[in-house]
Amino acid sequence: MTAPTAPDRLLSVLAAFDHEHPALSLTDISRRAGLSLTTAHRLVGALTRWGALERDGSGVYHVGLRLWEVAALAPRGLALRQVALPYLEDLYEATHENVQLAVRDGGEVVYIEWLSGRSAVGVHIRVGARWPLHATGVGLALLAHSAPETQEEYCAAPLASFTPYTITDPERLRRVLADVRRTGVAVSDRQVTEDALSVAAPIRGRDGSVTAAVSVVVPQACTQVPVLVPAVRLAARGISRALGWQPETAERPGP
């Protein structure tokens, strides 16, 4: 087994922080990162001097603003959020429901924006939260437009179950993905919690590839999917255009 390198140890310190552990003592960081206290102290000191971590008056460490500044440069993070936000707000005004913006990271969907609606549903998403692709509307939209080999690899792996309605059969998932490509929208019905349903649509970048997805999450009991579909599609199309996608050029027949 290869020993951890210096970069590995540095990254393990940052990985010690998550939504459940936003503030950690040096001892906590040492334990969660799997490092000796001496090594953790040295690395935490370096990260604090650079601004990746900040230490409060009680001696507890938090993620520093310097990381936020760096994250703002990510084209699939805050930069995408800035472009998409006006369209997300329009979608919220049209529906007054929960609105999500997400990207794919391997076999997971990562939420980079969430506008909370008036409906109370069991899914409480925070920016930075992750879920398996097959269990969410945005995840299905992203997976359906990924490379065929990526889809096959995902379908061949175990599919986590969260409710009795979660898709856990590979053949059924393949059929759902084909339907998403055919219709242009993904519907996730009670897959994460039994009270929520989401309608999602893919967002395309300048080159026409799917780079993100937008969705509306509503209570399953009172939803009308046909009413939500046009609004979600319109938002996705608006964000895609803002990112440089030109459907007219893509759809124009060649000479």
Side-chain angles (χ1 to χ4, degrees):
M1 183 176 180
T2 305
T5 64
D8 290 334
R9 290 191 291 269
L10 198 67
L11 292 173
S12 71
V13 171
L14 294 176
F17 295 84
D18 57 27
H19 284 292
E20 284 70 42
H21 304 88
L24 297 170
S25 68
L26 182 61
T27 302
D28 292 333
I29 295 173
S30 170
R31 176 178 53 80
R32 287 179 55 78
L35 301 171
S36 69
L37 197 58
T38 302
T39 300
H41 182 268
R42 176 170 55 83
L43 295 177
V44 166
L47 290 168
T48 302
R49 287 190 295 274
W50 186 77
L53 297 178
E54 295 177 357
R55 186 172 184 264
D56 65 21
S58 65
V60 172
Y61 292 90
H62 308 259
V63 172
L65 286 177
R66 187 72 180 272
L67 285 184
W68 180 265
E69 294 172 2
V70 174
L73 303 175
R76 294 201 308 152
L78 294 178
L80 171 60
R81 175 188 174 278
Q82 286 182 321
V83 172
L85 193 55
Y87 302 93
L88 301 179
E89 291 173 340
D90 286 346
L91 181 57
Y92 173 81
E93 289 300 325
T95 62
H96 291 287
E97 300 290 357
N98 303 280
V99 175
Q100 304 171 331
L101 177 67
V103 296
R104 182 173 73 88
D105 184 22
E108 297 177 313
V109 58
V110 181
Y111 294 91
I112 61 174
E113 185 56 278
W114 170 281
L115 303 183
S116 183
R118 63 189 176 189
S119 297
V121 294
V123 184
H124 298 292
I125 298 298
R126 293 169 294 189
V127 172
R130 294 170 175 264
W131 283 93
L133 292 169
H134 69 282
T136 67
V138 284
L140 289 171
L142 290 164
L143 183 59
H145 292 90
S146 62
E149 57 270 23
T150 299
Q151 295 180 42
E152 282 306 308
E153 181 180 355
Y154 191 93
C155 289
L159 302 175
S161 178
F162 303 97
T163 75
Y165 305 95
T166 307
I167 300 173
T168 56
D169 176 57
E171 287 304 318
R172 182 186 169 203
L173 179 56
R174 290 186 181 96
R175 292 193 297 270
V176 169
L177 297 178
D179 193 55
V180 172
R181 290 190 294 272
R182 179 181 61 83
T183 63
V185 294
V187 178
S188 176
D189 186 1
R190 297 170 289 177
Q191 290 213 72
V192 175
T193 62
E194 295 190 40
D195 65 342
L197 178 147
S198 68
V199 178
I203 295 169
R204 298 183 181 275
R206 184 181 298 274
D207 63 356
S209 63
V210 171
T211 60
V214 59
S215 73
V216 170
V217 181
V218 298
Q220 194 278 337
C222 60
T223 186
Q224 296 184 22
V225 172
V227 175
L228 297 173
V229 166
V232 176
R233 276 180 172 163
L234 184 63
R237 193 175 182 88
I239 298 170
S240 299
R241 286 177 177 271
L243 291 173
W245 179 58
Q246 298 180 342
E248 300 86 356
T249 302
E251 295 166 3
R252 188 180 301 130

